[in-house]
Coordinates of all heavy atoms in Angstrom, one line a residue:
G1 N 53.2 6.1 22.9 CA 54.1 7.2 22.9 C 53.8 8.2 24.1 O 53.1 7.9 25.0
A2 N 54.3 9.4 24.0 CA 54.2 10.4 25.0 C 52.7 10.8 25.2 O 52.2 11.0 26.3 CB 55.1 11.6 24.7
R3 N 52.0 10.9 24.1 CA 50.6 11.3 24.1 C 49.7 10.3 24.8 O 48.9 10.6 25.6 CB 50.1 11.6 22.7 CG 50.6 12.8 22.1 CD 50.2 13.0 20.7 NE 48.8 13.1 20.5 CZ 48.1 13.0 19.4 NH1 48.8 12.9 18.3 NH2 46.8 13.1 19.3
F4 N 50.0 9.0 24.6 CA 49.3 7.9 25.3 C 49.6 8.0 26.8 O 48.6 7.8 27.6 CB 49.7 6.6 24.7 CG 49.0 5.4 25.4 CD1 47.6 5.2 25.3 CD2 49.7 4.6 26.3 CE1 47.0 4.1 25.9 CE2 49.1 3.6 27.0 CZ 47.8 3.3 26.8
V5 N 50.8 8.1 27.2 CA 51.2 8.2 28.6 C 50.5 9.4 29.2 O 49.9 9.3 30.3 CB 52.7 8.3 28.8 CG1 53.1 8.6 30.2 CG2 53.3 7.0 28.3
H6 N 50.4 10.5 28.5 CA 49.8 11.7 29.1 C 48.3 11.4 29.3 O 47.7 11.8 30.3 CB 50.0 12.9 28.2 CG 49.4 14.2 28.7 ND1 49.8 14.8 29.8 CD2 48.3 14.9 28.3 CE1 49.1 15.9 30.0 NE2 48.1 15.9 29.1
M7 N 47.7 10.8 28.3 CA 46.3 10.4 28.4 C 46.0 9.5 29.6 O 45.0 9.7 30.3 CB 45.8 9.8 27.1 CG 44.3 9.5 27.1 SD 43.7 8.5 25.7 CE 44.5 6.9 26.2
V8 N 46.8 8.5 29.8 CA 46.7 7.6 30.9 C 46.8 8.3 32.2 O 46.1 8.1 33.2 CB 47.7 6.4 30.8 CG1 47.7 5.6 32.0 CG2 47.3 5.5 29.6
Y9 N 47.8 9.2 32.3 CA 48.0 10.0 33.5 C 46.8 10.8 33.8 O 46.3 10.9 34.9 CB 49.3 10.9 33.3 CG 49.4 11.8 34.5 CD1 50.0 11.3 35.7 CD2 49.1 13.1 34.4 CE1 50.1 12.1 36.8 CE2 49.2 14.0 35.5 CZ 49.8 13.5 36.7 OH 49.9 14.3 37.8
C10 N 46.3 11.5 32.8 CA 45.1 12.3 33.0 C 43.9 11.5 33.4 O 43.1 11.9 34.3 CB 44.7 13.1 31.7 SG 45.9 14.4 31.4
F11 N 43.7 10.3 32.9 CA 42.6 9.4 33.2 C 42.8 8.9 34.7 O 41.8 8.9 35.5 CB 42.6 8.2 32.3 CG 41.5 7.2 32.7 CD1 40.2 7.6 32.5 CD2 41.8 6.0 33.2 CE1 39.2 6.7 32.9 CE2 40.8 5.1 33.6 CZ 39.5 5.4 33.4
A12 N 44.0 8.6 35.1 CA 44.3 8.1 36.4 C 44.0 9.2 37.4 O 43.5 9.0 38.5 CB 45.7 7.6 36.6
R13 N 44.4 10.5 37.1 CA 44.1 11.6 37.9 C 42.6 11.8 38.1 O 42.1 12.1 39.2 CB 44.8 12.9 37.3 CG 44.6 14.1 38.2 CD 45.4 15.3 37.6 NE 45.4 16.4 38.5 CZ 44.4 17.3 38.4 NH1 43.5 17.3 37.5 NH2 44.4 18.3 39.2
Y14 N 41.9 11.7 37.0 CA 40.4 11.9 37.0 C 39.8 10.8 37.9 O 38.9 11.1 38.7 CB 39.9 11.8 35.6 CG 38.4 11.7 35.6 CD1 37.6 12.8 35.7 CD2 37.7 10.5 35.4 CE1 36.2 12.8 35.7 CE2 36.3 10.4 35.3 CZ 35.6 11.5 35.5 OH 34.2 11.5 35.5
V15 N 40.2 9.6 37.8 CA 39.7 8.5 38.6 C 40.0 8.7 40.1 O 39.1 8.5 40.9 CB 40.2 7.1 38.1 CG1 39.9 6.0 39.1 CG2 39.7 6.8 36.7
M16 N 41.2 9.2 40.4 CA 41.5 9.4 41.7 C 40.7 10.6 42.3 O 40.2 10.5 43.5 CB 43.0 9.8 41.8 CG 43.5 10.1 43.3 SD 45.1 10.8 43.3 CE 44.9 12.4 42.6
I17 N 40.5 11.6 41.6 CA 39.6 12.7 42.0 C 38.2 12.3 42.3 O 37.6 12.6 43.3 CB 39.7 13.9 41.1 CG1 41.1 14.6 41.2 CG2 38.6 14.9 41.4 CD1 41.4 15.6 40.1
E18 N 37.7 11.5 41.4 CA 36.3 11.0 41.5 C 36.2 10.1 42.8 O 35.2 10.1 43.5 CB 35.8 10.2 40.3 CG 35.5 11.1 39.1 CD 34.5 12.2 39.4 OE1 33.4 11.8 39.9 OE2 34.7 13.3 39.1
D19 N 37.2 9.3 43.0 CA 37.2 8.4 44.2 C 37.3 9.2 45.4 O 36.6 9.0 46.4 CB 38.4 7.4 44.1 CG 38.3 6.4 45.1 OD1 37.2 5.8 45.4 OD2 39.4 6.0 45.7
M20 N 38.1 10.3 45.5 CA 38.2 11.2 46.6 C 36.9 11.9 46.9 O 36.4 12.0 48.0 CB 39.3 12.2 46.4 CG 40.7 11.6 46.6 SD 42.0 12.8 46.1 CE 41.6 14.2 47.0
R21 N 36.2 12.3 45.8 CA 34.9 12.9 45.9 C 33.9 12.0 46.6 O 33.2 12.4 47.5 CB 34.4 13.4 44.6 CG 33.0 14.1 44.6 CD 32.6 14.6 43.3 NE 33.5 15.7 42.9 CZ 33.8 15.9 41.6 NH1 33.4 15.1 40.6 NH2 34.6 16.9 41.3
K22 N 33.9 10.7 46.2 CA 32.9 9.8 46.8 C 33.2 9.5 48.2 O 32.3 9.4 49.0 CB 32.9 8.5 46.0 CG 32.3 8.6 44.6 CD 32.4 7.3 43.8 CE 31.9 7.5 42.4 NZ 32.1 6.3 41.6
L23 N 34.5 9.4 48.5 CA 34.9 9.1 49.9 C 34.7 10.3 50.9 O 34.6 10.1 52.1 CB 36.4 8.7 50.0 CG 36.7 7.4 49.3 CD1 38.2 7.1 49.3 CD2 36.0 6.2 50.0
S24 N 34.7 11.5 50.3 CA 34.5 12.7 51.2 C 33.0 13.1 51.5 O 32.8 13.9 52.3 CB 35.2 13.9 50.6 OG 34.5 14.3 49.4
V25 N 32.1 12.3 50.9 CA 30.7 12.6 51.1 C 30.4 12.3 52.6 O 30.7 11.2 53.1 CB 29.8 11.7 50.2 CG1 28.3 11.8 50.6 CG2 30.0 12.2 48.8
G26 N 29.8 13.2 53.3 CA 29.4 13.0 54.7 C 30.5 13.3 55.7 O 30.2 13.1 56.9
T27 N 31.6 13.7 55.3 CA 32.7 13.9 56.2 C 32.8 15.4 56.6 O 33.6 15.7 57.5 CB 34.1 13.6 55.6 OG1 34.3 14.3 54.4 CG2 34.1 12.1 55.3
G28 N 32.0 16.2 56.0 CA 32.1 17.7 56.3 C 33.2 18.4 55.6 O 33.4 19.6 55.9
I29 N 33.9 17.7 54.8 CA 35.0 18.4 54.0 C 34.4 18.8 52.7 O 34.0 18.0 51.9 CB 36.2 17.4 53.8 CG1 36.7 16.9 55.1 CG2 37.3 18.0 53.0 CD1 37.7 15.7 55.0
P30 N 34.5 20.1 52.4 CA 34.0 20.6 51.1 C 34.9 20.2 50.0 O 36.0 20.7 49.9 CB 33.9 22.1 51.3 CG 34.8 22.4 52.4 CD 34.8 21.2 53.3
F31 N 34.6 19.2 49.2 CA 35.5 18.6 48.2 C 35.8 19.6 47.2 O 37.0 19.7 46.8 CB 34.9 17.4 47.6 CG 35.8 16.7 46.6 CD1 36.8 15.9 47.0 CD2 35.6 17.0 45.3 CE1 37.7 15.3 46.1 CE2 36.5 16.4 44.3 CZ 37.5 15.6 44.8
A32 N 34.9 20.4 46.7 CA 35.1 21.3 45.5 C 36.2 22.3 45.9 O 37.1 22.6 45.1 CB 33.9 22.0 45.1
E33 N 36.2 22.9 47.1 CA 37.2 23.8 47.5 C 38.6 23.2 47.7 O 39.6 23.7 47.3 CB 36.8 24.5 48.8 CG 35.7 25.5 48.6 CD 34.4 24.9 49.1 OE1 34.4 24.0 50.0 OE2 33.3 25.4 48.7
A34 N 38.6 21.9 48.2 CA 39.8 21.2 48.4 C 40.5 20.9 47.1 O 41.8 21.1 47.0 CB 39.6 20.0 49.2
V35 N 39.8 20.5 46.0 CA 40.4 20.2 44.8 C 40.8 21.4 44.0 O 41.9 21.4 43.4 CB 39.4 19.3 43.9 CG1 40.0 19.2 42.5 CG2 39.2 18.0 44.6
K36 N 40.1 22.5 44.1 CA 40.4 23.7 43.3 C 41.3 24.6 44.0 O 41.8 25.6 43.4 CB 39.1 24.4 42.9 CG 38.2 23.6 42.0 CD 36.9 24.3 41.7 CE 36.0 23.4 40.8 NZ 34.8 24.0 40.5
R37 N 41.7 24.3 45.2 CA 42.6 25.2 45.9 C 44.0 25.2 45.3 O 44.5 24.1 44.9 CB 42.7 24.8 47.4 CG 43.5 25.7 48.2 CD 43.4 25.3 49.7 NE 42.1 25.5 50.3 CZ 41.8 25.0 51.4 NH1 42.5 24.2 52.1 NH2 40.6 25.3 51.9
R38 N 44.6 26.3 45.1 CA 45.9 26.4 44.5 C 47.0 26.3 45.7 O 46.8 26.8 46.7 CB 46.1 27.8 43.9 CG 45.1 28.2 42.8 CD 45.4 27.5 41.5 NE 46.7 27.9 41.0 CZ 47.1 27.6 39.8 NH1 46.4 26.8 39.0 NH2 48.3 27.9 39.4
P39 N 48.0 25.5 45.4 CA 49.0 25.3 46.4 C 49.8 26.7 46.6 O 49.9 27.5 45.7 CB 50.0 24.3 45.8 CG 49.6 24.2 44.4 CD 48.3 24.7 44.2
K40 N 50.3 26.8 47.8 CA 51.1 28.0 48.1 C 52.4 28.1 47.3 O 52.8 29.2 46.9 CB 51.4 28.1 49.6 CG 50.1 28.3 50.5 CD 50.5 28.3 51.9 CE 49.2 28.3 52.8 NZ 49.5 28.3 54.2
D41 N 53.0 27.0 47.1 CA 54.3 27.0 46.4 C 54.1 26.2 45.1 O 54.1 25.0 45.1 CB 55.4 26.3 47.3 CG 56.8 26.5 46.7 OD1 56.9 27.0 45.6 OD2 57.7 26.1 47.4
M42 N 54.0 26.9 44.0 CA 53.7 26.2 42.7 C 54.9 25.4 42.3 O 54.8 24.4 41.6 CB 53.4 27.3 41.7 CG 52.0 27.8 41.8 SD 50.7 26.5 41.7 CE 50.9 25.9 40.0
Y43 N 56.2 25.8 42.7 CA 57.3 25.0 42.3 C 57.2 23.6 42.9 O 57.5 22.6 42.2 CB 58.6 25.7 42.8 CG 59.9 24.9 42.6 CD1 60.4 24.9 41.3 CD2 60.5 24.2 43.5 CE1 61.5 24.2 41.0 CE2 61.6 23.4 43.3 CZ 62.1 23.4 42.0 OH 63.3 22.7 41.8
I44 N 56.9 23.5 44.1 CA 56.7 22.2 44.8 C 55.6 21.4 44.1 O 55.7 20.2 43.9 CB 56.5 22.3 46.3 CG1 57.8 22.8 46.9 CG2 56.1 21.0 46.9 CD1 57.7 23.1 48.4
A45 N 54.5 22.1 43.8 CA 53.4 21.4 43.2 C 53.8 20.8 41.8 O 53.5 19.7 41.4 CB 52.2 22.3 43.0
K46 N 54.5 21.6 41.0 CA 55.0 21.2 39.7 C 56.0 20.0 39.8 O 56.0 19.1 39.0 CB 55.6 22.3 38.9 CG 54.5 23.3 38.4 CD 55.1 24.5 37.7 CE 54.1 25.4 37.2 NZ 54.6 26.6 36.5
A47 N 56.8 20.1 40.8 CA 57.8 19.1 41.1 C 57.1 17.7 41.4 O 57.5 16.7 40.9 CB 58.8 19.4 42.2
R48 N 56.1 17.8 42.3 CA 55.3 16.6 42.6 C 54.6 16.0 41.4 O 54.5 14.8 41.2 CB 54.3 16.9 43.7 CG 54.9 17.1 45.0 CD 53.9 17.4 46.1 NE 54.5 17.6 47.4 CZ 53.9 18.2 48.4 NH1 52.7 18.8 48.2 NH2 54.5 18.3 49.5
H49 N 54.1 16.9 40.5 CA 53.5 16.5 39.3 C 54.5 15.8 38.4 O 54.2 14.7 37.9 CB 52.9 17.7 38.6 CG 52.3 17.3 37.2 ND1 53.0 17.4 36.1 CD2 51.1 16.9 36.9 CE1 52.3 17.1 35.1 NE2 51.1 16.8 35.5
R50 N 55.7 16.3 38.3 CA 56.7 15.7 37.4 C 57.1 14.3 38.0 O 57.2 13.3 37.3 CB 57.9 16.5 37.3 CG 57.8 17.7 36.3 CD 59.2 18.3 36.1 NE 59.9 18.7 37.3 CZ 59.8 19.9 37.9 NH1 59.0 20.8 37.4 NH2 60.5 20.1 39.0
V51 N 57.2 14.2 39.3 CA 57.6 12.9 40.0 C 56.5 11.9 39.7 O 56.8 10.7 39.3 CB 57.8 13.1 41.5 CG1 57.9 11.8 42.2 CG2 59.1 13.9 41.7
A52 N 55.2 12.3 39.9 CA 54.1 11.3 39.7 C 54.1 10.9 38.2 O 53.9 9.7 37.9 CB 52.8 12.0 40.1
Y53 N 54.2 11.9 37.3 CA 54.2 11.6 35.9 C 55.3 10.6 35.5 O 55.1 9.7 34.7 CB 54.3 12.9 35.1 CG 54.1 12.8 33.6 CD1 52.8 12.7 33.1 CD2 55.1 12.7 32.7 CE1 52.6 12.6 31.7 CE2 54.9 12.6 31.4 CZ 53.6 12.5 30.9 OH 53.4 12.4 29.5
N54 N 56.5 10.9 36.0 CA 57.7 10.0 35.6 C 57.5 8.7 36.2 O 57.9 7.7 35.6 CB 59.0 10.7 36.1 CG 59.3 11.9 35.3 OD1 58.9 12.0 34.1 ND2 60.1 12.8 35.8
K55 N 56.9 8.6 37.4 CA 56.7 7.3 38.1 C 55.7 6.4 37.2 O 56.0 5.2 37.0 CB 56.2 7.4 39.5 CG 56.1 6.2 40.2 CD 57.4 5.6 40.5 CE 57.3 4.4 41.4 NZ 58.6 3.7 41.6
L56 N 54.7 7.1 36.8 CA 53.7 6.4 35.9 C 54.4 5.9 34.6 O 54.2 4.8 34.2 CB 52.5 7.3 35.6 CG 51.5 6.7 34.6 CD1 50.8 5.5 35.2 CD2 50.5 7.8 34.2
L57 N 55.2 6.8 34.0 CA 55.9 6.4 32.8 C 56.8 5.2 33.1 O 56.9 4.2 32.3 CB 56.7 7.6 32.3 CG 57.5 7.3 31.0 CD1 56.6 7.0 29.9 CD2 58.4 8.6 30.7
Q58 N 57.5 5.2 34.2 CA 58.4 4.0 34.5 C 57.6 2.8 34.7 O 58.0 1.7 34.2 CB 59.2 4.3 35.8 CG 60.3 5.4 35.6 CD 60.9 5.7 37.0 OE1 60.5 5.2 38.0 NE2 61.9 6.6 36.9
I59 N 56.5 2.8 35.3 CA 55.6 1.7 35.5 C 55.1 1.1 34.2 O 55.2 -0.1 34.0 CB 54.4 2.0 36.5 CG1 55.0 2.2 37.9 CG2 53.4 0.9 36.5 CD1 53.9 2.8 38.8
L60 N 54.7 2.0 33.3 CA 54.2 1.6 32.0 C 55.3 1.0 31.2 O 55.1 0.0 30.5 CB 53.6 2.7 31.3 CG 52.3 3.2 31.9 CD1 51.8 4.5 31.1 CD2 51.2 2.2 31.8
Q61 N 56.5 1.5 31.3 CA 57.7 1.0 30.5 C 58.0 -0.4 31.1 O 58.3 -1.3 30.3 CB 58.9 1.9 30.6 CG 58.7 3.2 29.7 CD 59.8 4.2 30.0 OE1 60.5 4.2 31.0 NE2 60.0 5.0 29.0
R62 N 58.0 -0.5 32.4 CA 58.4 -1.8 33.0 C 57.3 -2.9 32.6 O 57.7 -4.0 32.3 CB 58.4 -1.7 34.5 CG 59.0 -2.9 35.2 CD 59.1 -2.8 36.7 NE 59.8 -1.6 37.0 CZ 59.4 -0.6 37.9 NH1 58.3 -0.8 38.5 NH2 60.2 0.4 38.2
E63 N 56.1 -2.5 32.6 CA 55.0 -3.4 32.2 C 55.2 -3.8 30.8 O 55.0 -5.0 30.4 CB 53.6 -2.8 32.4 CG 52.5 -3.7 32.1 CD 51.1 -3.0 32.4 OE1 51.1 -2.1 33.2 OE2 50.2 -3.5 31.7
D64 N 55.5 -2.9 29.9 CA 55.7 -3.2 28.5 C 56.9 -4.2 28.3 O 56.8 -5.1 27.5 CB 56.0 -1.9 27.7 CG 56.1 -2.2 26.2 OD1 55.2 -2.9 25.6 OD2 57.1 -1.8 25.6
F65 N 57.9 -4.0 29.1 CA 59.1 -4.9 29.0 C 58.7 -6.3 29.4 O 59.1 -7.3 28.8 CB 60.2 -4.3 29.9 CG 61.4 -5.2 30.0 CD1 62.3 -5.3 28.9 CD2 61.6 -6.0 31.1 CE1 63.4 -6.1 29.0 CE2 62.7 -6.8 31.2 CZ 63.6 -6.9 30.1
V66 N 58.0 -6.4 30.6 CA 57.6 -7.7 31.0 C 56.7 -8.4 30.0 O 56.9 -9.6 29.8 CB 56.9 -7.6 32.4 CG1 56.2 -8.8 32.8 CG2 57.8 -7.1 33.5
M67 N 55.8 -7.7 29.4 CA 54.9 -8.3 28.4 C 55.7 -8.8 27.2 O 55.4 -9.8 26.7 CB 53.8 -7.3 28.0 CG 52.8 -6.9 29.1 SD 52.0 -8.3 29.8 CE 50.9 -8.7 28.5
Q68 N 56.7 -8.0 26.8 CA 57.5 -8.4 25.7 C 58.3 -9.7 26.0 O 58.5 -10.6 25.2 CB 58.5 -7.3 25.3 CG 57.8 -6.2 24.6 CD 58.8 -5.0 24.2 OE1 60.0 -5.1 24.4 NE2 58.3 -4.0 23.6
E69 N 58.8 -9.7 27.3 CA 59.6 -10.9 27.7 C 58.7 -12.2 27.8 O 59.1 -13.2 27.3 CB 60.2 -10.7 29.1 CG 61.3 -9.7 29.1 CD 62.5 -10.2 28.2 OE1 62.9 -11.4 28.4 OE2 63.0 -9.4 27.4
Y70 N 57.4 -12.0 28.2 CA 56.5 -13.1 28.2 C 56.2 -13.6 26.8 O 56.1 -14.8 26.5 CB 55.2 -12.7 28.9 CG 55.2 -12.8 30.4 CD1 54.6 -11.8 31.2 CD2 55.8 -13.9 31.1 CE1 54.7 -11.9 32.6 CE2 55.8 -13.9 32.5 CZ 55.3 -12.9 33.2 OH 55.3 -13.0 34.6
G71 N 56.1 -12.6 25.9 CA 55.8 -12.9 24.5 C 57.0 -13.7 23.9 O 56.8 -14.7 23.2
K72 N 58.2 -13.3 24.2 CA 59.4 -14.1 23.7 C 59.4 -15.5 24.3 O 59.8 -16.4 23.6 CB 60.7 -13.3 24.1 CG 60.9 -12.1 23.4 CD 62.2 -11.4 23.8 CE 62.3 -10.0 23.2 NZ 63.5 -9.3 23.7
K73 N 59.1 -15.6 25.6 CA 59.2 -17.0 26.2 C 58.1 -17.9 25.7 O 58.2 -19.1 25.8 CB 59.2 -16.8 27.7 CG 60.5 -16.2 28.2 CD 60.5 -16.1 29.7 CE 61.8 -15.5 30.2 NZ 61.8 -15.3 31.7
A74 N 56.9 -17.3 25.4 CA 55.8 -18.1 24.9 C 56.0 -18.7 23.5 O 55.3 -19.7 23.2 CB 54.5 -17.2 24.9
R75 N 56.9 -18.1 22.8 CA 57.1 -18.6 21.4 C 57.9 -19.9 21.4 O 58.6 -20.5 22.0 CB 57.9 -17.6 20.6 CG 57.1 -16.4 20.3 CD 57.9 -15.5 19.4 NE 57.4 -14.1 19.6 CZ 58.1 -13.1 19.5 NH1 59.3 -13.1 19.1 NH2 57.6 -11.9 19.7

């Protein structure tokens, strides 16, 4: 349901942030300030968040549909 999708989204975001943190080591880019920095336009930031969240939901729904179709054909 919606709670599971939200949990998967939060986990994917966490993994992405950790990956960015590891990749920024030694580049001279202070990672903590970059992640915690607030965007200038919160409306655009929220819109991007909604787009990413909806895209993840669509991918999960498509994957569920494909898995159901495979299950039907396997019978």
Side-chain angles (χ1 to χ4, degrees):
R3 289 175 57 192
F4 176 74
V5 171
H6 182 69
M7 182 190 70
V8 170
Y9 175 77
C10 289
F11 178 71
R13 184 175 183 271
Y14 170 77
V15 169
M16 181 188 69
I17 289 173
E18 288 300 313
D19 191 41
M20 286 172 49
R21 180 177 291 146
K22 288 177 187 174
L23 292 175
S24 69
V25 171
T27 60
I29 301 170
F31 182 79
E33 289 101 23
V35 171
K36 294 180 181 178
R37 187 178 285 168
R38 302 282 298 186
K40 293 179 183 176
D41 189 355
M42 284 303 293
Y43 176 77
I44 292 175
K46 287 180 182 179
R48 286 181 178 158
H49 175 267
R50 281 193 309 271
V51 168
Y53 188 83
N54 288 335
K55 186 68 174 173
L56 176 64
L57 181 61
Q58 289 173 355
I59 291 168
L60 291 174
Q61 287 173 338
R62 189 177 307 130
E63 183 179 334
D64 183 52
F65 175 76
V66 168
M67 294 303 287
Q68 287 179 4
E69 290 297 314
Y70 279 137
K72 289 178 186 176
K73 290 180 181 179
R75 289 185 208 150

